[in-house]
Amino acid sequence: VQLVESGGALVQPGGSLRLSCAASGFTFSNYWMSWVRQSPGKGLEWVANIKQDGREKYYVDSEKGRFTISRDNAKNSLDLQMNSLRAEDTAVYYCARGRDTYGFILDYWGQGTLVTVSS
Amino acid sequence: DIVMTQSPDSLAVSLGERATINCKSSQSVLHSSNNKNFLTWYQQKPGQPPKLLIYWASTRESGVPDRFSGSGSGTDFTLTISSLQAEDVAVYYCQQYYITPHTFGQGTKLEIK
């Protein structure tokens, strides 16, 4: 199982960014997927998750309307579109896989991609 | 949202001794339909992503040493390391997946005394 995040960058407040996670080593379309972030030196914050077929999505309340999670099962790819970015969105963003037996238990994580929101 | 509160924030334990980390949820994470507690424990070492240790509050993930154990039910949970090894130095997080958002505790930093 391998999860590789990309797309992290330095972006100005109010800007947008799209993160991607390339999955390999498992049948991507069979698993729930999640995004979790970690601000520098801080704890973990669950951001969003998406069901196998993409029809169910859940978000942390503070990001509803600004962040959109999506997936492309044909490309084994998970995305996170982030709009209206704020300084407090600065964090390492991790992509994580849900267990096959219960998709909300995160059994594999990527190394993360750093998003910095600053002018 | 369910608030997860861990204690202590940091902990120093001698090698070979027991380490105990507590996690309290602001509401029960025990689901009556299956009598399972929707709680996980993760270990995060510096510069690494989190690693799943325990799920359903007490089920050890494959490959996790048996010195790690989870217990508790409802709102009060404990992660115990029975005999601390040097490689166990890390930050430990609990997380509830009972309802979204799937909130984490603030983390407990475990060090060697």
Side-chain angles (χ1 to χ4, degrees), chain A:
Chain A
V1 173
Q2 193 169 15
L3 300 168
V4 180
E5 302 92 338
S6 61
L10 172 63
V11 60
Q12 291 190 340
S16 298
L17 206 58
R18 190 176 188 89
L19 306 182
S20 292
C21 172
S24 60
F26 64 102
T27 304
F28 180 74
S29 59
N30 288 351
Y31 293 83
W32 278 82
M33 297 296 296
S34 297
W35 287 99
V36 176
R37 68 184 178 183
Q38 186 168 34
S39 300
K42 302 293 185 182
L44 301 169
E45 181 181 29
W46 177 87
V47 174
N49 61 10
I50 185 169
K51 196 177 179 181
Q52 292 91 329
D53 61 4
R55 293 184 178 184
E56 283 185 47
K57 305 174 184 181
Y58 300 96
Y59 299 91
V60 65
D61 291 345
S62 58
E63 311 311 343
K64 281 179 184 175
R66 292 198 306 127
F67 288 9
T68 302
I69 190 172
S70 62
R71 64 191 297 162
D72 185 335
N73 287 341
K75 295 182 178 179
N76 294 337
S77 179
L78 174 73
D79 287 347
L80 184 69
Q81 176 68 41
M82 304 187 295
N83 299 327
S84 303
L85 284 163
R86 309 163 180 159
E88 52 265 38
D89 295 319
T90 294
V92 173
Y93 285 73
Y94 294 103
C95 159
R97 189 188 82 166
R99 285 183 68 89
D100 54 355
T101 51
Y102 197 77
F104 295 166
I105 298 167
L106 307 179
D107 61 354
Y108 284 93
W109 298 59
Q111 291 296 315
T113 188
L114 177 61
V115 172
T116 303
V117 183
S118 175
S119 55

Side-chain angles (χ1 to χ4, degrees), chain B residues 46-89:
Chain B
Q48 295 185 20
K51 173 188 174 183
L52 177 64
L53 294 177
I54 303 282
Y55 56 96
W56 298 129
S58 60
T59 302
R60 197 179 305 114
E61 173 70 332
S62 176
V64 172
D66 60 7
R67 63 180 180 273
F68 290 91
S69 64
S71 63
S73 185
T75 61
D76 292 280
F77 301 91
T78 300
L79 174 69
T80 302
I81 307 172
S82 60
S83 177
L84 189 70
Q85 306 299 303
E87 61 265 32
D88 300 335
V89 169

Side-chain angles (χ1 to χ4, degrees), chain A residues 101-102, chain B residues 29-38 56 97-98:
Chain A
T101 51
Y102 197 77
Chain B
V29 298
L30 173 63
H31 207 293
S32 56
S33 66
N34 58 9
N35 203 37
K36 288 187 175 183
N37 289 282
F38 284 48
W56 298 129
Y97 49 99
Y98 184 75

